[in-house]
Amino acid sequence: MSTRSPRSRHPEGPRQATIRDVARAARVSVATVSRALNDSGPVRDDTRRRVRDAVQNLRFTPHGAARSLITSRTNTLGVLLPDLYGEFFSEIIRGIDREAQRAGYQLLLSSARNARDEIKGAFRAMYGCVDGLILMAPDVELAELFAQHRDRTPIVFINSPVESDDAYVITIDNHGGAYRMVKHLVQNGHRRIAIIRGGNRNHDAAERLRGYRDALIDSGVACDPRLELQGDFTEAAGYRAAHTVLKLDPRPTALFAANDAMAIGALSALREEGAAVPEEIAVAGFDDIPIARYVSPPLSSVHVPIARLGERAMKLLLGAMTGSANGAGRRVVLPTTLVIRTSSP
Amino acid sequence: MSTRSPRSRHPEGPRQATIRDVARAARVSVATVSRALNDSGPVRDDTRRRVRDAVQNLRFTPHGAARSLITSRTNTLGVLLPDLYGEFFSEIIRGIDREAQRAGYQLLLSSARNARDEIKGAFRAMYGCVDGLILMAPDVELAELFAQHRDRTPIVFINSPVESDDAYVITIDNHGGAYRMVKHLVQNGHRRIAIIRGGNRNHDAAERLRGYRDALIDSGVACDPRLELQGDFTEAAGYRAAHTVLKLDPRPTALFAANDAMAIGALSALREEGAAVPEEIAVAGFDDIPIARYVSPPLSSVHVPIARLGERAMKLLLGAMTGSANGAGRRVVLPTTLVIRTSSP
DNA sequence: AGATTGGGTGTAAACGGTTACAGCGCGGGC
DNA sequence: GCCCGCGCTGTAACCGTTTACACCCAATCT
């Protein structure tokens, strides 16, 4: 390591001012400076003014780490998501950020795509740097892996299959939403309804599939495995699946995609093949991402209050940190609603 | 403040283990523990094993702040964006995150919507907590405001009108992209081409408008102020503007939206009004967000390597922090390319 | 007048890591 | 036999902030 002062990365500049420099310049003690800046004690008005001036002149910025060390609060919350692709995550983050800002917290964001090690690594890196954590791990196996850590830093799980009673979990009504959408399709005369499924080990995907099946069974329609197409929540998967659907004989009259991204991919494929939506085949999605209303034809979907989901997760976390969340409020299930636009009858 | 240990927020649990606890359990000194965990010095194999065991047993996690305080590195980079809404930002973040993870950095994310004070506040909060900063401030007035701070923590500006030579700035070729798209429309016979503009003080928006005008002038087509509609980069704005466009007499034969979100909003409005795209009116956007290819009809757009933009910004920042970026590489302009799909002839 | 308050301030001890420096033991070169 | 070097380890200083506690002084109460 070189001889220059550690905090200034730019050799030419003078060393970053500390609270001691400010104290010297304002001819008071460091305690007074701290009190003046944080309103944490009585300070005379002219003393306060001298301190503020010194802060201005020296361009003093408190060293976050030093403060965190003694207060043992980082003022930062972690957000760990499985991916950052698409409007769903962008909306979630937006909701989380909005609420975090309101509460005066910073956001440490990370995504851990596929690999289990990657997630553990990201988790490790965050842990110990944050006052709380919002974790979205729809992969079945991962959720329990972290559940054991909950005693240290509060964790809120979004859409994660976590069983333990004392975990903070916020989910949406996946089963109910899918169920009602499929019921709606049946009520409009559809009997052969295909589904584009989400990822295999994804909990949301599994619940939506379950809702689809239950709705069919309750309607007296037999489930047909050939109508359950594999997908992975991407537009490309929906695109491919729709091509497959068109080749089925007899051809389904409705297509339910487990999320909007796949529904939009499917719409694109159907348009290419000249299949009229909704006349020849109805299409419905899940999530109701903001763009769903703007695609052609406007997409029927199961509305999920995505940004709200983020907000509520953050609220739950803030409650958990202050200890105000009693046992009852640890599990939140947000309702989903049907939004029927023109892509379905 | 209560009497319980500061770091454990959960009263029932024992105090969070420190490096000293680990040292005691492994019967070594704290220095050895530190060396063992960071590979920062010679440690005998069995000593290392004892340390690892103790870490496991005590569930020791290093206190990030304490480490930052002495190393004066936070291992965190800040990202400050004007908004988090839509696929553009989600892609940018994705690119930034990918590169940050590769380099082993954490990401502190924040958005500062409209107000100037809000941005300053967010900036203040981050500053001093991060080793570097990526800042996107397309608002003209704000960019210079922060340029003065560059001597402390390195800052990379994305799409921001920053003049000073020694600032790190990465931009995309807004003018060229818009210019070529409009030229393309003209070459396909369009003479009355409307534009949906971006925000008034937005630099990107201004550059794209300039490219539109220059292309018209160079093509011998007169600019008509009535064809320049106000927008703000949201789908809703595009939707409204398209309705206005249809009422113009004579009606424009092409519509160039300053970003894809507005183009998609416009497509939605045109569809509602029964205006055939591209037969009656051609539509083109800007950004080429991932979903553009999946809307109906697939949207012609000016392709911007959005995720790449984030990646490159991060690379620039990493270079700035190690001081390896020499004067020449401080300004990067990413090229844009035309992607003609079926929404335009 | 002396005791008592309380506002305003200073001193110094934390917080939990990293690391310079010193020390120890041991093997090999002279 | 002595010294040197080297691998391994321990001690303690240091990072920059917050805050408990002590202190001083003026105003008020008894």
Side-chain angles (χ1 to χ4, degrees):
Chain A
M1 178 165 283
S2 74
T3 56
R4 59 185 156 96
S5 161
R7 252 188 97 184
S8 79
R9 210 156 269 90
H10 294 249
E12 71 273 10
R15 176 181 120 278
Q16 168 74 280
T18 76
I19 199 175
R20 257 170 269 271
D21 299 322
V22 176
R24 200 174 312 123
R27 283 177 306 171
V28 292
S29 73
V30 291
T32 301
V33 175
S34 179
R35 278 189 287 254
L37 294 181
N38 304 328
D39 280 333
S40 56
V43 177
R44 251 178 29 217
D45 274 354
D46 70 318
T47 311
R48 174 170 279 119
R49 211 170 306 123
R50 284 216 311 282
V51 170
R52 286 218 196 288
D53 288 351
V55 167
Q56 290 277 335
N57 292 338
L58 280 71
R59 294 190 172 196
F60 168 72
T61 318
H63 194 295
R67 175 179 288 166
S68 295
L69 181 55
I70 188 69
T71 61
S72 73
R73 298 182 65 242
T74 61
N75 218 38
T76 301
L77 301 175
V79 178
L80 187 47
L81 299 176
D83 198 347
L84 295 178
Y85 177 77
E87 229 183 348
F88 182 84
F89 294 105
S90 127
E91 279 296 289
I92 281 254
I93 295 174
R94 213 162 67 94
I96 293 176
D97 178 64
R98 186 162 34 187
E99 198 59 29
Q101 270 189 33
R102 193 202 311 276
Y105 277 94
Q106 303 261 51
L107 237 48
L108 203 59
L109 177 73
S110 191
S111 77
R113 273 163 286 286
N114 30 19
R116 194 193 176 102
D117 287 344
E118 199 175 344
I119 300 199
K120 280 196 81 169
F123 185 81
R124 280 246 147 72
M126 278 197 173
Y127 215 82
C129 300
V130 296
D131 297 337
L133 206 54
I134 291 181
L135 182 56
M136 184 162 171
D139 266 21
V140 179
E141 46 191 25
L142 279 163
E144 286 302 330
L145 195 149
F146 299 118
Q148 60 184 26
H149 283 276
R150 61 179 149 33
D151 53 317
R152 313 274 275 267
T153 298
I155 301 181
V156 169
F157 295 88
I158 299 185
N159 284 9
S160 306
V162 180
E163 303 297 341
S164 51
D165 286 344
D166 51 352
Y168 296 91
V169 183
I170 181 164
T171 48
I172 56 171
D173 182 15
N174 283 306
H175 179 271
Y179 183 92
R180 285 194 304 281
M181 179 59 90
V182 174
K183 269 277 189 184
H184 167 83
L185 292 171
V186 170
Q187 276 160 13
N188 281 273
H190 295 283
R191 287 296 175 275
R192 288 188 61 76
I193 304 174
I195 182 174
I196 313 178
R197 303 170 45 176
N200 257 331
R201 16 186 28 114
N202 186 294
H203 184 246
D204 294 319
E207 282 298 287
R208 292 171 193 183
L209 177 63
R210 205 165 61 80
Y212 159 84
R213 285 177 179 161
D214 286 353
L216 287 184
I217 292 169
D218 289 2
S219 308
V221 179
C223 291
D224 182 345
R226 289 172 308 162
L227 295 184
E228 298 180 356
L229 291 94
Q230 198 48 256
D232 63 0
F233 284 154
T234 65
E235 286 95 350
Y239 181 88
R240 283 192 304 269
H243 274 294
T244 310
V245 165
L246 289 180
K247 295 203 196 83
L248 290 176
D249 184 33
R251 184 194 275 189
T253 62
L255 178 55
F256 174 49
N259 78 343
D260 285 352
M262 293 196 296
I264 288 169
L267 283 179
S268 165
L270 296 176
R271 189 178 176 286
E272 266 184 31
E273 300 288 339
V277 177
E279 293 79 9
E280 291 181 50
I281 185 165
V283 175
F286 203 115
D287 284 347
D288 192 26
I289 57 178
I291 214 164
R293 70 187 319 153
Y294 292 110
V295 299
S296 301
L299 183 67
S300 295
S301 189
V302 179
H303 177 79
V304 176
I306 313 178
R308 192 73 59 87
L309 181 60
E311 272 184 27
R312 290 292 298 270
M314 179 53 74
K315 278 185 179 146
L316 201 55
L317 181 57
L318 293 170
M321 294 194 312
T322 59
S324 73
N326 43 16
R330 291 190 174 217
R331 301 190 88 90
V332 177
V333 179
L334 292 184
T336 53
T337 54
L338 248 45
V339 179
I340 304 304
R341 302 201 177 92
T342 46
S343 73
S344 76
Chain B
M1 180 166 283
S2 74
T3 57
R4 60 183 154 97
S5 161
R7 251 189 98 184
S8 79
R9 209 155 268 93
H10 295 249
E12 72 273 15
R15 175 180 121 279
Q16 167 73 282
T18 75
I19 199 174
R20 259 167 266 271
D21 298 322
V22 176
R24 199 175 312 122
R27 283 177 306 173
V28 293
S29 73
V30 291
T32 301
V33 175
S34 178
R35 279 189 288 255
L37 294 182
N38 304 328
D39 280 334
S40 56
V43 177
R44 251 178 30 218
D45 275 353
D46 71 317
T47 311
R48 172 169 280 120
R49 211 171 305 123
R50 283 215 312 281
V51 170
R52 288 218 195 288
D53 288 351
V55 167
Q56 291 275 334
N57 292 340
L58 280 72
R59 295 191 175 194
F60 168 73
T61 317
H63 194 296
R67 176 180 287 165
S68 294
L69 182 55
I70 187 66
T71 61
S72 72
R73 298 183 65 244
T74 61
N75 218 39
T76 301
L77 301 176
V79 178
L80 187 48
L81 299 176
D83 199 347
L84 294 178
Y85 176 77
E87 230 184 347
F88 182 85
F89 294 104
S90 124
E91 279 295 289
I92 280 255
I93 295 174
R94 212 162 67 96
I96 293 176
D97 178 64
R98 184 160 38 186
E99 198 58 30
Q101 268 187 35
R102 192 202 310 277
Y105 277 94
Q106 303 262 50
L107 236 48
L108 203 59
L109 177 73
S110 191
S111 76
R113 273 165 284 286
N114 29 20
R116 194 192 176 101
D117 287 345
E118 200 175 342
I119 299 199
K120 280 197 81 167
F123 184 82
R124 280 246 145 73
M126 280 199 172
Y127 215 82
C129 300
V130 296
D131 297 337
L133 205 55
I134 291 181
L135 183 56
M136 185 162 171
D139 266 22
V140 179
E141 47 191 24
L142 280 162
E144 286 302 329
L145 196 148
F146 299 117
Q148 61 184 25
H149 283 274
R150 60 177 149 36
D151 53 318
R152 314 272 274 266
T153 299
I155 301 180
V156 169
F157 295 89
I158 298 185
N159 284 7
S160 305
V162 180
E163 302 297 341
S164 50
D165 287 344
D166 51 352
Y168 296 91
V169 182
I170 182 166
T171 48
I172 56 171
D173 182 16
N174 283 307
H175 178 271
Y179 184 92
R180 285 194 305 279
M181 179 58 90
V182 174
K183 268 276 188 183
H184 167 83
L185 292 172
V186 171
Q187 275 159 15
N188 281 273
H190 294 284
R191 288 295 174 274
R192 286 188 63 77
I193 305 173
I195 182 174
I196 312 179
R197 304 170 46 175
N200 256 331
R201 18 188 24 116
N202 186 293
H203 184 245
D204 293 321
E207 283 296 289
R208 291 171 193 183
L209 176 62
R210 205 165 60 81
Y212 159 84
R213 285 177 181 165
D214 286 351
L216 287 184
I217 291 169
D218 289 1
S219 308
V221 179
C223 292
D224 182 346
R226 290 171 309 162
L227 297 184
E228 299 180 356
L229 291 93
Q230 199 48 257
D232 62 1
F233 284 155
T234 66
E235 286 95 351
Y239 180 89
R240 283 193 304 269
H243 274 293
T244 309
V245 165
L246 290 180
K247 293 203 197 85
L248 290 176
D249 185 32
R251 185 194 274 188
T253 61
L255 180 54
F256 173 48
N259 78 342
D260 284 353
M262 294 196 296
I264 289 168
L267 283 179
S268 166
L270 296 176
R271 189 178 177 287
E272 266 185 31
E273 299 289 338
V277 177
E279 294 79 9
E280 290 182 51
I281 185 165
V283 175
F286 202 114
D287 284 348
D288 192 25
I289 58 178
I291 214 165
R293 70 187 318 153
Y294 291 110
V295 299
S296 302
L299 183 66
S300 296
S301 190
V302 179
H303 177 77
V304 176
I306 313 178
R308 190 73 58 87
L309 180 61
E311 274 185 27
R312 289 292 298 270
M314 179 53 75
K315 278 187 179 146
L316 202 54
L317 182 57
L318 293 170
M321 293 193 313
T322 59
S324 73
N326 42 17
R330 292 190 172 213
R331 300 190 90 90
V332 178
V333 179
L334 292 183
T336 53
T337 53
L338 248 46
V339 179
I340 303 304
R341 302 202 178 91
T342 46
S343 73
S344 76

